[in-house]
Amino acid sequence: MRNILTAFFLLISLAVSSQNFLSWQFNDRYFSFSVGTGTSTYFGELNSRNSINNNLSQINLGIEARLLNRIGARIEAGYFALSGQDSNASDSSFQRQRNLSFDSRNIHFQLHTIYYLKPYKGDYYKRWVFDPFIFSGVGYMKFNPTTTLGGETYLLRDARTEGVAYKKWVTTIPVGIGAKFKANEFLNVNLEISYHFTFTDYLDDVSNTYASEFSNTTSELLSDRKEEIGIVNPAFYDQIQPGSQRGNPDNNDSFLQISIKAEIFLPQDLFSRKNKAIIKKPSAY
């Protein structure tokens, strides 16, 4: 997180120092603030059909700055939910017999570099009505998979269902596309689709093999849940036992987010005594 903040402020300082050299008119609305919501879909062992989540499951806040003619930078914080269930898998499949599930509430900090497909027009209020862009960067995410058993909620990381102690925080690599739609002089409505690669296969607590030893009975029951649904497929039922394959460690988990955001342009003198107004007509008007 400290590295992300350091990189962001370094980019901002470079941009500010280059304004006079490039003679761009960034003086009144250089930064913008955004707030948004949307959907989050997890991809991993417990989403065998790769189905897309249609429910609102995330909120995000961001601050963006235009650095160069087609380049911008953004720092963003988000809170979102992920979930997956073997109960959605095909009948008689290994996943259906495995019968695992998870829910997770996650915190995500990101730093993006943005490339705009259209050049900057010189003043924020003259911006394009339709402004498409692509972006990528780096993120840092806290994840916390849980599941329910007998009406109680349990932390799967603590249960060590595969005998592995994995970390709470993980690095992510977001890549995405989007477009800004100009609503008025001060407001954009933005649509974005982003895919997030992660450096873990434990977003869902499923990766490798069934553990052979457990600290308590509850952990054992959380690891192997085939008995809760009985025999769905005899071959897979017999296959599931301590030491057998539980997930696929060759592919890390990932997630997809579809977002809609409201973006407002912030005056440079927002925090000065001279002018506290966020909404102010451009001087050219």
Side-chain angles (χ1 to χ4, degrees):
M1 180 59 187
R2 181 180 301 175
N3 292 336
I4 294 176
L5 290 173
T6 301
F8 178 74
F9 287 117
L10 177 61
L11 288 173
I12 296 304
S13 64
L14 290 174
V16 172
S17 63
S18 65
Q19 289 183 44
N20 293 333
F21 174 74
L22 297 172
S23 300
W24 287 348
Q25 301 178 30
F26 286 146
N27 292 329
D28 48 353
R29 305 279 165 162
Y30 183 63
F31 292 95
S32 62
F33 170 78
S34 66
V35 57
T37 187
T39 66
S40 298
T41 300
Y42 137 89
F43 295 102
E45 283 86 351
L46 303 188
N47 186 4
S48 59
R49 297 188 178 186
N50 293 326
S51 56
I52 302 296
N53 177 26
N54 296 319
N55 299 320
L56 294 179
S57 54
Q58 57 139 318
I59 56 174
N60 54 74
L61 301 171
I63 296 178
E64 183 179 322
R66 195 75 170 238
L67 304 182
L68 299 171
N69 190 23
R70 293 177 182 263
I71 303 296
R74 175 172 63 193
I75 189 169
E76 187 169 283
Y79 178 81
F80 65 100
L82 297 176
S83 64
Q85 302 84 28
D86 276 341
S87 59
N88 294 329
S90 302
D91 293 340
S92 300
S93 64
F94 169 77
Q95 291 83 1
R96 187 69 184 88
Q97 183 67 77
R98 185 177 56 185
N99 193 39
L100 300 176
S101 65
F102 89 101
D103 288 285
S104 182
R105 301 295 181 267
N106 315 283
I107 300 173
H108 200 195
F109 300 98
Q110 302 177 72
L111 174 64
H112 298 156
T113 298
I114 304 169
Y115 178 79
Y116 295 93
L117 302 186
K118 296 181 178 181
Y120 187 65
K121 298 186 73 173
D123 293 289
Y124 80 96
Y125 57 89
K126 297 177 182 177
R127 66 190 183 277
W128 302 98
V129 175
F130 172 71
D131 196 4
F133 58 91
I134 59 177
F135 64 93
S136 186
V138 63
Y140 203 42
M141 170 184 167
K142 183 180 181 181
F143 65 104
N144 188 31
T146 66
T147 193
T148 57
L149 176 66
E152 298 290 333
T153 299
Y154 294 92
L155 299 176
L156 288 168
R157 181 186 292 108
D158 295 343
R160 297 197 180 186
T161 56
E162 296 184 1
V164 175
Y166 50 87
K167 297 180 180 179
K168 295 180 179 180
W169 290 87
V170 63
T171 301
T172 65
I173 302 296
V175 294
I177 61 173
K180 299 172 182 278
F181 298 88
K182 181 180 178 182
N184 57 38
E185 293 91 346
F186 315 99
L187 180 68
N188 282 340
V189 176
N190 303 342
L191 298 178
E192 296 181 11
I193 300 176
S194 57
Y195 193 85
H196 302 257
F197 300 91
T198 76
F199 289 88
T200 183
D201 192 33
Y202 280 103
L203 290 186
D204 49 16
D205 190 64
V206 181
S207 177
N208 210 315
T209 59
Y210 284 88
S212 301
E213 297 181 358
F214 300 93
S215 59
N216 54 65
T217 302
T218 299
S219 295
E220 185 174 4
L221 292 174
L222 292 173
S223 176
D224 182 355
R225 308 190 67 169
K226 68 179 182 181
E227 299 293 351
E228 296 178 30
I229 59 171
I231 300 176
V232 174
N233 184 308
F236 292 137
Y237 181 89
D238 294 336
Q239 176 183 326
I240 296 174
Q241 55 184 311
S244 67
Q245 202 65 36
R246 193 169 184 259
N248 179 9
D250 295 331
N251 296 316
N252 287 337
D253 297 329
S254 58
F255 59 95
L256 174 77
Q257 292 189 321
I258 302 174
S259 306
I260 181 170
K261 302 176 181 180
E263 178 187 23
I264 187 170
F265 288 82
L266 303 176
Q268 190 178 49
D269 55 358
L270 175 63
F271 301 107
S272 71
R273 295 182 179 180
K274 294 181 180 180
N275 184 6
K276 295 280 186 180
I278 294 180
I279 303 300
K280 177 184 176 183
K281 283 290 184 182
S283 57
Y285 278 44

